[in-house]
């Protein structure tokens, strides 16, 4: 690919001529490399004084090789057959880097990129890996700027070694089972989260319902009983009567405690409250809850017996005596 020719002014030399499919790269006295197009003339060579000229082959060349590419997990590999064409893209770079093995440089670049693609696919999916490599590397030319080469006409063929096929199937089945187990665990976890959320929401709904029901008192609870089963009207009525009776019993016990402790005096409360106290006292008497005599004699005016009214006959007797004393007078 490369040939070098030393140049000197004397004795006079004929200027170098580029053959078809080649390119001349001149090394100047400063060490700079130039690839003029068209090449230097005889005068240019004389006046500029390049020290040497390199003849670079720029024709396309076909190349091919075989290699192994790793599959997913790196446990197994693909057998790969690759074909491509290469040309010199930058003659100056090729001379500067002294590229002696252009096909080898292209091969190293292609293998590195293909390995990164083939690792995405399982060993049993060689067709998909082959399509992916072809789409990424075979659509356009590939310029290797660091060594001045260009790769075109790339093709690849992948296959699985028949001896590795049973192993690949076993690994694939194991991977599928693992993914299935992971999906089942995720499904169970999701179901548990949904169930927990539903339980919490149901608990909140019940809490609000019963809070509103209890705040409404006995009538609200009886109404809820009837709403659940309209045939339970008698049961609802009994429930309300029971609540009323319990309220009365509580009220009577409370009043009995107040009366026995001598903490309530009628003189200190108004008429409406006095009437209520008398009503509760009557309830206590009707229920047979007798208070101790000491409580009745405690000086509580509301518990003192009412004064007996004088009999009309006695009043008339008194009046007669008064009349008689008046007459005597």
């Amino acid at each position: 690919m490369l040939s070098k020719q030393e140049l000197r002014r004397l004795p006079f030399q004929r200027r170098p001529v580029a053959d078809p499919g080649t390119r001349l790269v001149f090394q100047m006295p400063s060490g700079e490399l130039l690839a003029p197009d068209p090449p230097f003339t005889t005068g240019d060579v004389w006046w500029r004084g390049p020290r040497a000229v390199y003849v670079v082959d720029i024709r396309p060349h076909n190349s091919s090789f075989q290699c192994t590419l790793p599959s997913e997990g790196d446990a197994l590999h693909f057998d790969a057959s690759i074909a491509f064409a290469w040309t010199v893209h930058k003659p100056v770079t090729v001379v500067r880097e002294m590229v002696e093995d252009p096909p080898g440089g292209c091969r190293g670049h292609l293998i590195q990129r293909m390995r990164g693609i083939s690792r995405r696919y399982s060993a049993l999916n060689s067709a998909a890996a082959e399509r992916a490599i072809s789409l990424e590397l075979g659509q356009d030319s590939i310029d290797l700027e660091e060594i001045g080469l260009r790769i075109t006409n790339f093709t690849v063929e992948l296959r699985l070694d028949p001896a590795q096929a049973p192993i690949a199937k076993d690994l694939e089945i194991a991977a599928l089972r693992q993914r299935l187990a992971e999906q089942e665990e995720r499904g169970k976890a999701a179901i548990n989260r949904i169930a927990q959320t539903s339980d919490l929401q149901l608990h909140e709904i019940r809490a609000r319902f019963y809070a509103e029901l209890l705040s409404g008192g006995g009538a609200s609870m009886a109404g809820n009983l009837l709403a659940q089963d309209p045939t339970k009207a008698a049961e609802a009525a009994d429930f309300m009567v029971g609540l009323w009776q319990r309220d009365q019993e509580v009220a009577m016990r409370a009043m009995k405690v107040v009366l026995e402790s001598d903490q309530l005096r009628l003189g200190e409360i108004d008429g409406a409250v006095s009437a209520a106290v008398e009503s509760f006292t009557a309830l206590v008497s009707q229920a047979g809850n007798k208070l101790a005599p000491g409580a009745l004699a405690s000086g509580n005016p509301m518990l003192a017996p009412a004064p007996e009214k004088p009999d009309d006959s006695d009043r008339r007797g008194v009046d007669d005596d008064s009349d008689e004393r008046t007459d005597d007078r």
Side-chain angles (χ1 to χ4, degrees):
M1 188 195 87
L2 290 175
S3 62
K4 181 179 179 181
Q5 179 182 353
E6 299 292 338
L7 298 178
R8 59 182 183 273
R9 290 183 177 178
L10 296 173
F12 180 80
Q13 290 179 315
R14 190 176 175 184
R15 71 179 179 88
V17 177
D19 295 328
T22 63
R23 186 77 174 269
L24 299 180
V25 177
F26 293 91
Q27 183 180 18
M28 308 306 292
S30 62
E32 181 184 8
L33 296 174
L34 297 176
D37 187 19
F40 287 156
T41 64
T42 302
D44 292 330
V45 172
W46 175 261
W47 291 109
R48 291 177 178 266
R51 293 181 178 180
V53 61
Y54 293 88
V55 180
V56 181
D57 187 351
I58 60 173
R59 294 172 299 175
H61 300 270
N62 294 323
S63 183
S64 63
F65 65 94
Q66 294 183 348
C67 66
T68 60
L69 301 175
S71 63
E72 184 181 22
D74 288 349
L76 302 175
H77 63 266
F78 301 107
D79 291 331
S81 298
I82 295 94
F84 64 96
W86 64 269
T87 56
V88 172
H89 174 48
K90 293 183 177 180
V92 172
T93 302
V94 170
V95 173
R96 184 175 60 246
E97 300 299 328
M98 298 303 294
V99 180
E100 297 290 344
D101 183 15
C106 296
R107 182 167 56 249
H109 176 82
L110 292 174
I111 290 176
Q112 181 180 2
R113 293 189 60 179
M114 288 189 297
R115 288 171 64 88
I117 301 171
S118 66
R119 280 195 174 100
R120 305 172 193 167
Y121 300 90
S122 68
L124 294 176
N125 205 3
S126 59
E130 181 179 305
R131 285 193 299 271
I133 293 174
S134 297
L135 286 174
E136 187 163 337
L137 302 180
Q139 297 297 309
D140 299 314
S141 61
I142 303 173
D143 290 338
L144 308 183
E145 300 292 343
E146 65 278 8
I147 58 177
L149 300 178
R150 172 173 291 171
I151 299 173
T152 57
N153 302 330
F154 172 85
T155 61
V156 60
E157 180 182 348
L158 297 185
R159 58 192 175 278
L160 178 64
D161 187 345
Q164 294 185 351
I167 302 174
K169 290 180 180 179
D170 292 340
L171 292 175
E172 188 75 12
I173 292 173
L176 289 174
R177 287 176 177 172
Q178 182 178 357
R179 286 197 292 269
L180 179 60
E182 292 174 353
Q183 290 178 356
E184 289 179 351
E185 290 298 325
R186 288 195 293 269
K188 290 178 181 178
I191 292 174
N192 290 335
R193 287 194 298 270
I194 294 173
Q196 291 174 359
T197 303
S198 299
D199 290 342
L200 290 174
Q201 292 175 347
L202 183 59
H203 176 76
E204 293 176 358
I205 293 172
R206 287 175 176 171
R208 288 195 298 269
F209 171 75
Y210 285 113
E212 295 175 357
L213 181 64
L214 293 175
S215 65
S220 177
M221 288 186 282
N224 179 65
L225 183 62
L226 287 174
Q228 292 179 353
D229 189 355
T231 63
K232 294 183 178 180
E235 184 177 345
D238 292 340
F239 174 74
M240 292 298 297
V241 171
L243 288 178
W244 180 84
Q245 290 177 345
R246 283 193 292 273
D247 291 342
Q248 295 297 320
E249 291 174 0
V250 172
M252 287 188 290
R253 291 195 192 100
M255 183 54 64
K256 181 178 179 181
V257 172
V258 173
L259 294 177
E260 288 179 346
S261 61
D262 195 20
Q263 297 298 316
L264 188 64
R265 300 183 181 279
L266 292 180
E268 300 175 358
I269 54 180
D270 58 19
V273 178
S274 299
V277 172
E278 292 175 356
S279 175
F280 279 118
T281 304
L283 288 174
V284 173
S285 300
Q286 292 174 6
N289 294 328
K290 302 295 185 180
L291 299 179
L296 295 175
S298 60
N300 194 328
M302 68 168 289
L303 300 179
E308 296 181 358
K309 295 181 179 180
D311 187 63
D312 292 341
S313 60
D314 293 341
R315 181 177 298 175
R316 283 196 302 270
V318 173
D319 293 340
D320 293 343
D321 292 342
S322 299
D323 292 341
E324 290 179 358
R325 285 195 297 272
T326 302
D327 293 337
D328 293 341
R329 188 181 302 170

